[in-house]
C-alpha cells in the first residue's frame, strides 16, 4: 500500500527524534516507493531558515541516519516538497504563513488538502500549537480531504495530566484523527507476538496459568541518558518506558485473541487485559528503583547519573525500574508478570520470556537433571530479533542425563525481506489512516492508572538504589525476585 497525496508539517523538526528517526524514515519510505511524488514536508521552527537551508538540513540528516542508501534521484523527489516556516508557537503570523505554504503545496505539489501535523515537541507546547492550528483553520479538512495530528509518548506524566493533554488535542482534532505513537508497536518483532500466539496451534494451549510459572519482560539499554537530561530527569524510567512500551508488550503477551485485527477489536482486547492488571499490595517488596553510579562499562569510564550534564546533584530520578504485576483473569491468576527497564545495564536487549512450570514428575535421578532449568519461550524483540525455546534434552552418552538446550528462530536466517524501521511503518500507517498500531486514549489512561500508585509510593518512600554500569540493576531488583523464589534471566 502506498500513501496517497499528502503533506506532513513537523513541529520540533530540529530535535533529536526528527533528525535521527523521523526524517530518515520519510526518506526511506520515499526510497522504497511508499510515498508518492505528491508528498510535501514542512518544517516549522525558530531557526531563520530558507527552504534551501532546510533542504540541506534534511539532506544531512538522511545521509547520516537513513537505512536505505542515499541516492540523488530519491532525494530530489523528496526535496521538491520540502518547505520551512520560521516562527514561534505563539506567533499568529507564522501560522498564517504556514497556511499559505500548505495551500501552495496543495496547488503546486498536488498534496490534495491532506495534511498531518506531527508534534515532536514537549507536551507543554501542545496547547499553544493546537489552538493556533484551530485558529488558522488548519485542523479542518475540506472537500473529503483529511487532517491528522501525531503525538509522541509519554502522553502526560500521570493520569490527570494525560487527560488534560488529551482534552487539549481532542478539542481541535476528532479522536479518530489523533495518532499516538508508541514506536514499540511499529517494531516487527512486537507485531509478531500476535502472529506467534494466534497463527499457531503449539503456543496458545500452554499460554496460561496451568503451564506458565511467570513472565519476565526486560527492556535493557547499555547507554546512559546522553544529552536528554532536560527530558529525562523530570520523567525517570517508569514513565519513560514502562507506562508505554513495557505495558504494551504486556498487553500483547497477555491479551485474549481479538475477534479481528481491526483497530477497535485489537484495542478492546488490550484494554480488557490492562484493566485486569493488579498491583502488589506490598510495593516495597515487589518493586525496585535504581540509579546508575559511575564506573567502567565496555572498557570505557562512564559518569554516574548525578554527574551527567544538566542533572541536579541531588536528583532522585530512577534510571532503572522493576515492578511485579498480576493479572486477575482466569488465564493468568497466580502468574506474576515482572517488568524491568533501565539505562547503563549489561547490554542492549528487549525480550519477553514466558517461563513455564517444571514438569510435574521427572523419572530420572536428581543428579541426572542437575542442569535442568525451566522451559521457556523467549520472544527476542531486539537486537537479535527472533524467538528462542529452552527445553531439556538428553546429553549424548550412555547415561540418561538431561540438560537444557535452546532452539532459535532468527529473522536474519529465515527471511530475506528487510524489516521496516518502526517509524517508517508508523508514519506510513498514519498517512494511510490505518490505526491498529496506535494506542487510543483509553489504553493510555489505563496504563497511567497502573503506574500512578507506584510512582506516588516511590516519591514518598523509595529512593533509587545505586547500581554499577554494566550490571543488571540494583540489588533490590534481585531481592525482589528472590522473595518470590525466582531469579531474573541473564539475556
Ligand atoms: C524511547 C525512550 O521511547 O525509547 C528512550 O524515551 C529509549 O529513553 C528509547 O532510549 C529506546 O528505543 P529503542 O527503539 O532503541 O529500543
Amino acid at each position: 500500500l502506498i500513501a496517497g497525496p499528502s503533506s506532513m508539517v513537523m513541529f520540533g523538526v530540529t530535535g533529536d527524534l526528527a533528525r535521527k528517526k523521523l526524517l530518515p524514515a520519510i526518506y526511506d519510505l520515499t526510497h522504497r516507493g511508499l510515498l508518492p511524488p505528491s508528498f510535501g514536508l514542512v518544517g516549522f521552527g525558530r531557526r531563520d531558515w530558507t527552504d534551501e537551508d532546510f533542504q540541506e538540513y534534511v539532506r544531512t540528516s538522511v545521509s547520516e541516519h537513513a537505512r536505505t542508501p542515499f541516492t540523488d534521484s530519491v532525494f530530489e523527489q523528496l526535496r521538491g516538497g520540502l518547505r520551512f516556516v520560521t516562527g514561534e508557537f505563539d506567533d499568529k503570523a507564522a501560522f498564517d504563513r504556514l497556511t499559505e505554504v500548505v495551500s501552495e503545496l496543495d496547488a503546486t505539489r498536488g498534496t490534495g488538502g491532506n495534511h498531518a501535523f506531527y508534534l515532536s515537541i514537549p507536551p507543554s507546547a501542545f496547547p499553544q500549537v493546537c489552538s493556533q492550528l484551530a485558529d488558522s483553520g488548519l485542523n479542518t479538512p475540506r472537500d473529503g480531504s483529511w487532517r491528522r495530528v501525531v503525538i509522541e509518548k509519554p502522553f502526560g506524566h500521570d493520569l490527570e495530566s494525560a487527560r488534560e493533554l488529551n482534552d487539549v488535542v481532542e478539542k481541535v482534532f476528532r479522536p479518530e484523527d489523533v495518532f499516538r505513537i508508541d514506536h514499540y508497536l511499529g517494531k516487527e518483532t512486537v507485531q509478531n507476538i500476535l502472529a506467534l500466539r494466534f497463527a499457531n496451534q503449539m503456543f496458545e494451549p500452554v499460554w496460561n496459568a496451568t503451564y506458565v510459572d511467570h513472565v519476565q519482560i526486560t527492556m535493557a539499554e547499555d547507554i546512559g541518558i546522553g544529552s536528554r537530561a532536560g527530558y529525562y530527569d523530570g520523567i525517570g524510567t517508569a514513565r519513560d518506558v514502562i507506562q508505554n512500551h513495557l505495558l504494551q508488550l504486556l498487553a500483547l503477551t497477555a491479551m485474549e485473541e481479538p475477534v479481528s485485527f481491526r483497530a477497535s477489536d485489537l484495542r478492546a482486547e488490550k484494554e480488557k487485559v490492562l484493566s485486569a492488571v493488579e498491583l502488589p499490595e506490598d510495593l516495597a517488596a515487589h518493586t525496585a528503583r535504581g540509579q546508575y553510579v559511575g564506573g567502567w562499562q565496555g572498557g570505557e569510564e562512564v559518569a554516574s547519573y548525578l554527574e551527567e550534564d544538566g542533572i541536579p546533584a541531588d536528583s532522585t530520578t530512577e534510571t532503572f525500574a522493576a515492578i511485579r504485576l498480576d493479572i486477575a483473569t482466569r488465564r493468568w491468576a497466580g502468574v506474576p508478570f515482572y517488568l524491568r527497564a533501565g539505562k547503563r545495564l549489561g547490554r542492549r536487549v528487549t525480550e519477553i520470556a514466558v517461563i513455564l512450570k517444571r514438569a510435574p514428575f521427572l523419572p530420572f535421578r536428581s543428579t541426572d537433571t542437575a542442569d535442568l532449568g525451566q522451559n521457556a519461550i523467549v520472544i527476542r524483540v531486539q537486537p537479535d530479533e527472533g524467538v528462542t525455546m529452552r527445553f531439556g534434552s538428553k546429553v549424548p552418552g550412555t547415561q540418561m542425563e538431561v540438560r537444557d538446550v535452546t532452539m532459535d528462530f532468527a529473522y536474519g536466517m529465515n527471511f530475506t525481506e528487510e524489516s521496516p524501521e518502526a517509524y517508517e511503518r508508523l508514519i506510513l500507517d498514519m498517512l494511510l489512516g490505518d490505526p491498529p498500531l496506535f494506542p487510543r486514549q483509553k489504553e493510555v489512561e489505563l496504563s497511567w492508572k497502573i503506574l500512578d500508585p507506584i510512582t506516588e509510593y516511590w516519591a514518598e518512600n523509595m529512593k533509587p538504589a545505586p547500581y554499577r554500569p554494566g550490571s543488571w540493576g540494583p540489588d533490590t531488583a534481585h531481592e525482589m525476585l528472590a522473595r518470590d523464589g525466582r531469579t531474573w534471566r541473564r539475556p
Side-chain angles (χ1 to χ4, degrees):
L1 279 176
I2 300 174
S6 51
S7 88
M8 190 149 115
V9 177
M10 212 182 270
F11 297 93
V13 76
T14 53
D16 246 22
L17 184 73
R19 194 166 51 83
K20 292 191 183 148
K21 298 280 184 187
L22 307 179
L23 297 172
I26 287 170
Y27 172 85
D28 288 330
L29 286 169
T30 313
H31 200 273
R32 295 184 211 279
L34 299 172
L35 291 188
S38 52
F39 177 79
L41 176 68
V42 186
F44 184 106
R46 272 189 299 244
R47 311 258 170 125
D48 190 14
W49 275 351
T50 60
D51 289 346
E52 289 71 30
D53 295 332
F54 181 54
Q55 290 161 6
E56 270 317 296
Y57 167 77
V58 176
R59 181 197 292 274
T60 311
S61 146
V62 307
S63 56
E64 281 171 12
H65 299 288
R67 306 204 332 163
T68 53
F70 186 86
T71 315
D72 283 327
S73 59
V74 176
F75 185 72
E76 274 311 299
Q77 177 188 325
L78 192 61
R79 198 183 62 78
L82 295 179
R83 305 282 185 277
F84 192 77
V85 175
T86 302
E88 304 275 346
F89 298 151
D90 61 359
D91 178 3
K92 165 111 183 38
F95 281 80
D96 291 342
R97 287 198 294 281
L98 178 62
T99 312
E100 279 165 29
V101 167
V102 160
S103 323
E104 179 263 317
L105 282 174
D106 283 342
T108 60
R109 188 90 172 156
T111 44
N114 302 315
H115 304 291
F117 301 93
Y118 202 120
L119 308 190
S120 182
I121 50 176
S124 56
F126 285 15
Q128 212 157 37
V129 172
C130 286
S131 70
Q132 294 275 16
L133 290 174
D135 290 348
S136 52
L138 279 165
N139 60 332
T140 316
R142 268 168 231 119
D143 312 328
S145 64
W146 53 257
R147 301 290 155 104
R148 296 182 185 135
V149 66
V150 186
I151 56 181
E152 280 274 346
K153 58 114 289 216
F155 314 109
H157 58 267
D158 55 16
L159 179 59
E160 200 188 319
S161 56
R163 285 193 172 137
E164 286 168 7
L165 198 63
N166 195 58
D167 289 346
V168 164
V169 176
E170 292 196 352
K171 219 168 84 190
V172 175
F173 290 92
R174 298 180 308 168
E176 59 270 38
D177 295 326
V178 181
F179 288 73
R180 296 176 186 80
I181 293 214
D182 177 324
H183 78 284
Y184 266 57
L185 297 178
K187 291 185 192 270
E188 202 59 51
T189 38
V190 172
Q191 293 159 43
N192 192 37
I193 299 170
L194 297 186
L196 189 82
R197 291 189 56 200
F198 301 126
N200 297 297
Q201 180 71 323
M202 63 194 283
F203 299 108
E204 213 45 24
V206 299
W207 212 263
N208 54 57
T210 310
Y211 296 99
V212 175
D213 180 71
H214 71 284
V215 176
Q216 296 188 10
I217 304 182
T218 300
M219 176 186 171
E221 295 181 277
D222 51 4
I223 53 170
I225 56 146
S227 55
R228 297 166 78 220
Y231 160 77
Y232 202 87
D233 200 54
I235 292 276
T237 307
R239 292 186 174 101
D240 182 36
V241 297
I242 293 190
Q243 185 270 340
N244 36 78
H245 307 329
L246 270 73
L247 285 178
Q248 285 289 331
L249 295 182
L250 174 140
L252 293 169
T253 306
M255 67 186 235
E256 297 302 317
E257 186 172 46
V259 176
S260 80
F261 278 81
R262 275 199 306 269
S264 52
D265 294 331
L266 201 64
R267 290 157 163 181
E269 291 305 336
K270 283 199 280 173
E271 286 160 13
K272 226 166 79 190
V273 76
L274 287 173
S275 40
V277 167
E278 291 198 332
L279 295 182
E281 268 171 34
D282 185 353
L283 290 173
H286 298 295
T287 68
R289 250 185 127 191
Q291 194 184 66
Y292 58 82
V293 297
W296 288 83
Q297 189 178 26
E300 199 193 325
E301 192 165 13
V302 297
S304 70
Y305 178 70
L306 297 178
E307 289 158 356
E308 300 274 18
D309 270 350
I311 300 295
D314 58 352
S315 168
T316 56
T317 300
E318 81 277 357
T319 58
F320 174 96
I323 56 181
R324 172 190 162 140
L325 297 173
D326 286 82
I327 300 177
T329 60
R330 171 177 286 245
R331 187 193 278 264
W332 295 116
V335 180
F337 280 66
Y338 300 103
L339 275 48
R340 66 173 161 169
K343 304 274 185 197
R344 287 256 180 263
L345 297 180
R347 71 185 186 90
R348 173 172 184 255
V349 59
T350 300
E351 62 163 45
I352 301 161
V354 178
I355 317 282
L356 281 82
K357 291 182 174 162
R358 289 178 192 276
F361 173 71
L362 293 174
F364 312 95
R365 286 175 312 179
S366 63
T367 49
D368 293 340
T369 56
D371 292 334
L372 204 55
Q374 281 168 272
N375 295 162
I377 303 163
V378 184
I379 300 174
R380 304 194 314 267
V381 174
Q382 63 187 30
D384 314 312
E385 291 83 0
V387 179
T388 298
M389 311 259 264
R390 272 184 87 75
F391 51 87
S393 184
K394 181 181 172 307
V395 180
T398 52
Q399 305 290 316
M400 192 53 183
E401 198 190 324
V402 189
R403 194 188 294 163
D404 265 357
V405 296
T406 59
M407 193 164 80
D408 277 342
F409 147 63
Y411 274 73
M413 303 282 284
N414 289 264
F415 295 116
T416 49
E417 295 86 345
E418 209 194 330
S419 304
E421 219 274 324
Y423 277 102
E424 272 181 68
R425 174 69 199 267
L426 295 175
I427 289 174
L428 180 63
D429 280 13
M430 184 276 297
L431 292 172
L432 290 166
D434 193 23
L437 297 182
F438 301 87
R440 68 180 162 195
Q441 177 64 9
K442 177 107 186 274
E443 286 167 71
V444 172
E445 292 189 9
L446 285 166
S447 306
W448 283 120
K449 267 191 195 153
I450 295 168
L451 205 66
D452 278 358
I454 299 175
T455 49
E456 278 160 24
Y457 175 83
W458 285 353
E460 295 292 316
N461 305 292
M462 196 192 282
K463 289 227 159 53
Y467 63 94
R468 275 180 305 105
S471 71
W472 286 96
D475 293 343
T476 49
H478 301 289
E479 289 156 11
M480 167 186 149
L481 250 68
R483 258 177 224 118
D484 291 354
R486 301 189 173 101
T487 51
W488 290 108
R489 269 173 52 82
R490 269 297 163 90

